[in-house]
């Protein structure tokens, strides 16, 4: 146990956890790349490294998400610091980023609002891809906002203003070209909350304010967004796998036009949105 090689430590852990998880945990303990593990499989771990790896393996066996154990996660090709104060960014949320980027031609200044920014995954990715955008990122959790600020520093982003607020609080009179959001949309008591990573993620990110059908935050955002959008501005948001019809209905009833919904890679409708008011700008397309 005290003088394990990299290969022996990995083989031992693989008896309890997935191969990829074992590799990522050991990379994190040793602060090395995957290639290093392969090239130095006979390298001996110190007793402290072996002990840290064993403890992380045990926590993984208990179900703790890899991103919380190693403290980071890739999103849209960027590396984000992740703590248990924030939702772990999901691949399906990259679809929301894709759609937002389609609305903003490169080299075009615009204002974007990201509601419920968490780690800053959406706002900071948009900022990296559209450096001329002026972005406001809001979260009601001080701990989440702190993580987003650290990520802004890590990613060298200086066009995102991260504020701690309750949705549109403090933004009266401000107008945005695009509002994006991945709000809490899991219904209280949803059985998925007792499964997988969701067991460890903040309730504030999953269910807070989402109500009994999971749609209350989305209702609030759709109802308020027109007051904060320029004429012809766009609202885009992520929703649950079974919420697309309800979301489209809410958008239509609130006066949004050109309502769209897009599916994730699994073919599940995940993002919906629309434009509000007249459409004076040639550049904003939907
Ligand atoms: C589903 S997470 C999304 C995090 C991040 N945008 C992402 O996609 O990975 C929802 C976020 O909304 C925040 N939130 C919940 N209620 C809020 C409120 N009333 N005002 C602002 N943010 C809120 C949570 O703290 C959480 O960070």
């Amino acid at each position: 146990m005290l003088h394990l090689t990299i290969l022996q430590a990995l083989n031992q852990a693989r008896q309890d956890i997935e191969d990829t998880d074992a590799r990522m945990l050991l990379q994190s303990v040793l602060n090395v790349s995957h290639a290093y593990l392969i090239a130095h499989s006979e390298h001996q771990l110190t007793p402290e490294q072996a002990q840290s790896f064993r403890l992380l393996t045990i926590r993984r066996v208990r179900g703790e998400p890899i991103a919380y154990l190693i403290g980071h996660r890739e999103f849209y090709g960027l590396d984000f610091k992740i703590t248990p104060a924030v939702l772990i960014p999901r691949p399906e949320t990259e679809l929301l980023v894709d759609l937002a980027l389609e609305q903003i031609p490169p080299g075009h200044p615009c204002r974007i609002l990201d509601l419920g920014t968490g780690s800053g995954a959406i706002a900071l990715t948009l900022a990296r891809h559209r450096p001329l955008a002026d972005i406001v990122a809001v979260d009601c959790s001080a701990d989440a906002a702190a993580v987003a600020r650290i990520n802004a520093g890590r990613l060298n982003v200086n066009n995102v203003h991260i504020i701690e607020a309750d949705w549109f609080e403090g933004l009266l009179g401000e107008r945005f070209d695009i509002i994006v959001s991945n709000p809490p949309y899991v219904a209280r008591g949803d059985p998925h909350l007792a499964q997988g990573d969701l067991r460890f993620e903040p309730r504030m990110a999953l269910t807070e304010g989402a109500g009994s059908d999971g749609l209350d935050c989305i209702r609030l955002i759709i109802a308020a967004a027109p007051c904060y959008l320029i004429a012809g501005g766009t609202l885009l948001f992520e929703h649950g796998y079974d919420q697309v019809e309800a979301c489209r209905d809410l958008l239509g009833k609130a006066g949004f036009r050109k309502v769209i919904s897009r599916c994730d890679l699994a073919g599940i409708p995940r993002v919906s949105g629309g434009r509000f008011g007249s459409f004076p700008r040639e550049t904003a397309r939907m």
Side-chain angles (χ1 to χ4, degrees):
M1 164 74 186
L2 291 185
H3 296 290
L4 291 176
T5 65
I6 282 179
L7 185 60
Q8 287 168 334
L10 283 175
N11 283 339
Q12 198 174 73
R14 282 172 184 140
Q15 293 171 18
D16 301 319
I17 61 176
E18 294 286 326
D19 190 23
T20 319
D21 292 353
R23 176 175 61 71
M24 290 175 80
L25 293 179
L26 191 54
Q27 278 179 234
S28 173
V29 168
L30 302 181
N31 195 21
V32 298
S33 65
H34 184 194
Y36 181 97
L37 292 188
I38 295 167
H40 300 84
S41 60
E42 297 308 317
H43 171 89
Q44 282 198 341
L45 306 189
T46 66
E48 292 76 23
Q49 288 168 337
Q51 176 70 354
S52 301
F53 182 51
R54 188 70 205 139
L55 290 176
L56 285 176
T57 303
I58 291 167
R59 289 171 64 186
R60 182 64 191 139
V61 169
R62 291 181 185 147
E64 281 190 59
I66 280 285
Y68 290 154
L69 294 176
I70 65 175
H72 62 107
R73 168 57 54 95
E74 186 190 308
F75 178 82
Y76 220 90
L78 298 170
D79 190 47
F80 285 84
K81 175 184 168 75
I82 298 297
T83 76
V86 299
L87 187 92
I88 301 163
R90 307 288 203 269
E92 48 270 30
T93 306
E94 295 184 346
L95 178 64
L96 177 56
V97 173
D98 283 339
L99 278 172
L101 288 175
E102 283 174 23
Q103 303 297 307
I104 318 160
H108 186 92
C110 70
R111 297 200 75 211
I112 302 172
L113 173 61
D114 174 25
L115 294 168
T117 200
S119 62
I122 299 168
L124 298 172
T125 304
L126 291 175
R128 285 286 297 243
H129 286 264
R130 295 293 183 268
L132 294 185
D134 173 26
I135 303 177
V136 176
V138 171
D139 207 289
C140 64
S141 155
D143 291 340
V147 173
R149 285 189 193 102
I150 291 170
N151 280 323
R154 279 165 62 118
L155 296 169
N156 281 322
V157 164
N158 53 21
N159 54 331
V160 177
H161 313 278
I162 297 158
I163 56 177
E164 189 189 329
D166 180 7
W167 298 135
F168 298 91
E169 181 192 19
L171 297 174
L172 205 61
E174 300 218 33
R175 296 277 171 174
F176 297 89
D177 299 75
I178 301 180
I179 298 175
V180 289
S181 184
N182 175 16
Y185 55 71
V186 182
R188 262 194 320 269
D190 187 313
H192 293 100
L193 292 166
Q195 298 167 15
D197 288 0
L198 267 56
R199 290 171 295 163
F200 294 87
E201 291 182 293
R203 286 295 171 267
M204 181 77 86
L206 297 168
T207 59
E208 183 72 21
S212 55
D213 64 356
L215 286 164
D216 281 0
C217 296
I218 289 173
R219 280 190 192 93
L220 184 153
I221 290 168
I222 290 176
C227 296
Y228 299 89
L229 283 171
I230 62 159
T234 298
L235 170 65
L236 292 168
F237 59 88
E238 183 172 321
H239 50 69
Y241 69 96
D242 56 354
Q243 293 173 336
V244 65
E245 291 310 327
C247 290
R248 294 177 65 87
D249 190 49
L250 287 166
L251 284 163
K253 285 184 174 148
F256 282 84
R257 311 278 171 80
K258 301 191 178 216
V259 171
I260 58 150
S261 298
R262 290 272 178 92
C263 295
D264 62 20
L265 290 174
I268 299 166
R270 275 290 176 187
V271 176
S272 291
R275 293 176 65 184
F276 193 82
S278 56
F279 314 124
R281 294 172 51 149
E282 290 295 315
T283 46
R285 299 179 299 258
M286 188 129 205

